[in-house]
Amino acid sequence: DGGITQSPKYLFRKEGQNVTLSCEQNLNHDAMYWYRQDPGQGLRLIYYSQIVNDFQKGDIAEGYSVSREKKESFPLTVTSAQKNPTAFYLCASKAKGEGQFNQPQHFGDGTRLSIL
Amino acid sequence: SQELEQSPQSLIVQEGKNLTINCTSSKTLYGLYWYKQKYGEGLIFLMMLQKGGEEKSHEKITAKLDEKKQQSSLHITASQPSHAGIYLCGAPLPGYGGSQGNLIFGKGTKLSVKP
């Protein structure tokens, strides 16, 4: 079945440590996204990529980094510069449609990151 | 200010009752997406609306976009425990990468259905 796989489901970070969250899709989607979800705050965009080898910062990119070397993969690294990383992280992907507004984003099941 | 305002923030209904969730924007909406989320899980796509006055239904859930394209409502008929979860609206908005397909999301409405 086609879908978006995020791993791991739970992740713990020590002080000063970088951690990488995996996101893989087999939907042949061009665009991929990373969101952060905090209680009561909704989803906030961290980074997005419309095409392989290209990505742009979202609203809260500080302390995060991404790469898009393959169409299927869009890993997110939470660096030690991110002082408040505890959150639920969601990856999404979207097909290229006739217009930007007629294709929904599809989401993975998320990774919950906590500080040790 | 919140670009997409959802109301109510939370809702508790008795099984079998109807309910409505609203999503309001101060700007014209060029597309509106409704999603459902179970706690600790990803978002599940429900419906997409694009045209003013458009209405779509799936099983017992109906979504509408008003003629002015600034408000959408999600209506659930004869609610069931399986409808419980968080409902989020998302929209591409100018100034937030909307022209590139990026979405702004409301904060969500938490629905509980009492058996």
Side-chain angles (χ1 to χ4, degrees):
Chain A
D1 283 339
I4 301 171
T5 302
Q6 289 189 241
S7 63
K9 192 166 178 66
Y10 300 96
L11 189 57
F12 298 91
R13 195 192 89 168
K14 294 180 182 177
E15 292 287 340
Q17 187 181 47
N18 293 352
V19 291
T20 297
L21 285 61
S22 170
C23 178
E24 302 277 332
Q25 55 98 1
N26 60 4
L27 299 167
N28 200 33
H29 285 173
D30 290 291
M32 296 188 75
Y33 306 82
W34 273 106
Y35 293 92
R36 170 179 172 141
Q37 187 177 32
D38 295 280
Q41 291 223 34
L43 274 68
R44 291 182 290 169
L45 183 64
I46 305 173
Y47 267 100
Y48 63 100
S49 168
Q50 301 283 354
I51 196 169
V52 175
N53 292 322
D54 189 40
F55 49 82
Q56 283 79 41
K57 293 181 179 180
D59 301 318
I60 55 164
E62 187 174 347
Y64 300 96
S65 66
V66 293
S67 63
R68 186 87 188 274
E69 296 176 2
K70 297 187 298 183
K71 188 175 185 178
E72 305 81 31
S73 179
F74 192 39
L76 173 75
T77 296
V78 184
T79 74
S80 56
Q82 173 49 245
K83 298 305 178 189
N84 184 24
T86 298
F88 189 54
Y89 291 86
L90 287 159
C91 177
S93 69
K94 184 174 85 75
K96 184 183 288 186
E98 292 176 5
Q100 290 294 350
F101 311 136
N102 64 358
Q103 296 293 335
Q105 291 183 19
H106 295 272
F107 286 79
D109 285 337
T111 293
R112 188 166 297 280
L113 176 62
S114 302
I115 292 276
L116 276 180
Chain B
S1 64
Q2 182 67 22
E3 298 295 339
L4 276 184
E5 198 83 36
Q6 279 189 245
S7 62
Q9 288 185 350
S10 64
L11 195 53
I12 302 173
V13 299
Q14 198 71 39
E15 183 176 357
K17 294 294 185 184
N18 302 339
L19 63 106
T20 300
I21 298 168
N22 293 303
C23 177
T24 303
S25 172
S26 57
K27 301 184 171 88
T28 300
L29 297 168
Y30 293 98
L32 193 288
Y33 302 83
W34 281 103
Y35 289 87
K36 179 186 176 184
Q37 184 183 30
K38 295 270 190 185
Y39 180 76
E41 298 180 10
L43 277 64
I44 298 170
F45 170 67
L46 295 175
M47 276 172 278
M48 175 177 70
L49 304 163
Q50 282 188 275
K51 300 175 184 174
E54 187 175 10
E55 179 175 319
K56 287 187 177 177
S57 294
H58 177 65
E59 297 179 343
K60 294 184 178 181
I61 301 177
T62 300
K64 299 179 187 179
L65 183 60
D66 74 342
E67 289 289 346
K68 287 186 178 180
K69 295 173 66 175
Q70 287 190 279
Q71 183 174 59
S72 177
S73 60
L74 186 83
H75 184 77
I76 298 177
T77 304
S79 58
Q80 301 167 354
S82 61
H83 288 128
I86 300 170
Y87 290 82
L88 296 103
C89 62
L93 291 178
Y96 293 91
S99 60
Q100 300 176 61
N102 295 353
L103 301 181
I104 290 288
F105 286 88
K107 292 186 177 181
T109 295
K110 184 179 177 183
L111 172 63
S112 302
V113 180
K114 295 168 70 173

